[in-house]
Every structure is written in structure tokens, then in C-alpha cells.
Amino acid sequence: MLTMAAQLRAVVSAHVVAIVGQPVFAGVYLTGDFDGLRWHAIGADVVTSIGYLQVIVAIVVWVRLRQVWPFLATAAVVAAETVQYFAGLDGALWLHIPLGVMTVVALAVLFIAVWSRPLPRREVPNA
């Protein structure tokens, strides 16, 4: 069984892998390949779903390991992703593109933090 820290690292890693494809798919679309837009939309669903899963894992880390920072950082990233998702659906590219760049950067920083900062190995017993 994976530790809570390992589970958090795994979901954040999957999240980063998924989000890195988004600018690629958008670029494919912008070069004239209309399938890129479909892949970008599918990618948005995948990224958002992994983000919500990450929120759940971060809540469990908060409760079991008494570490609140992964939840706060995840909540900020997922809130930005959610706004960006709906901005993209609405065609508000003036918001969608810069928020997308900021979201990718924020998730990369969270990835680095999760992998470089130690989390307790042992869970705090419920008393």
C-alpha cells in the first residue's frame, strides 16, 4: 500500500503529465489542424478530473498527516483550472490563455514542492 505522501506525489505527477499536453494540443489546433481542438477539449476534461482527484487526496493528507499546505496549493490550482475551463468553453481567450500559462506554472511549482519537501511517513493516529 502506498503511503499518503506517495499517493499525493503520484496524483500530482499524473496531473502535470496531463496538463503539459494542453498547450501542445492548442498549438496543433492553431496551426490549422482542427483535431487539435478536440484533443484540447478531451485534455481539459482529463486535467480537470485529475485536479478534483488531487483535491480529495490533498484533503486526506491534511486530515491524516496534518499537512495543510498541499490542500491549499491544490485548491488554488484547481480553482484556477476550473475558471480556465469555463473561460475556454465560453471562448474568452483573453482569460483562457494567460490563466492557462499561470496554471501550468503553478502546477509545476506544486510538483517540485511535493517531490522536494518531506511529508511525514507515518500517519497521525486518530485519538
Side-chain angles (χ1 to χ4, degrees):
M1 180 136 170
L2 291 175
T3 65
M4 289 309 312
Q7 290 176 21
L8 180 64
R9 288 176 176 149
V11 73
V12 170
S13 298
H15 200 175
V16 166
V17 168
I19 206 167
V20 165
Q22 287 302 92
V24 174
F25 299 141
V28 168
Y29 169 68
L30 292 174
T31 60
D33 185 345
F34 294 109
D35 283 339
L37 185 58
R38 181 173 53 89
W39 283 105
H40 188 67
I42 291 168
D45 292 338
V46 170
V47 168
T48 303
S49 298
I50 295 172
Y52 294 141
L53 175 63
Q54 185 176 317
V55 168
I56 294 167
V57 173
I59 289 170
V60 174
V61 166
W62 181 10
V63 170
R64 290 198 174 168
L65 302 181
R66 306 291 192 251
Q67 296 286 317
V68 70
W69 70 265
F71 170 73
L72 295 175
T74 294
V77 167
V78 170
E81 280 179 351
T82 302
V83 170
Q84 187 209 6
Y85 184 93
F86 287 106
L89 286 177
D90 195 41
L93 297 181
W94 63 270
L95 177 60
H96 183 72
I97 293 171
L99 190 54
V101 172
M102 289 186 283
T103 303
V104 171
V105 170
L107 188 55
V109 170
L110 179 56
F111 173 85
I112 292 166
V114 164
W115 278 96
S116 64
R117 292 181 74 175
L119 289 171
R121 290 186 176 274
R122 296 173 54 185
E123 297 177 5
V124 177
N126 291 335

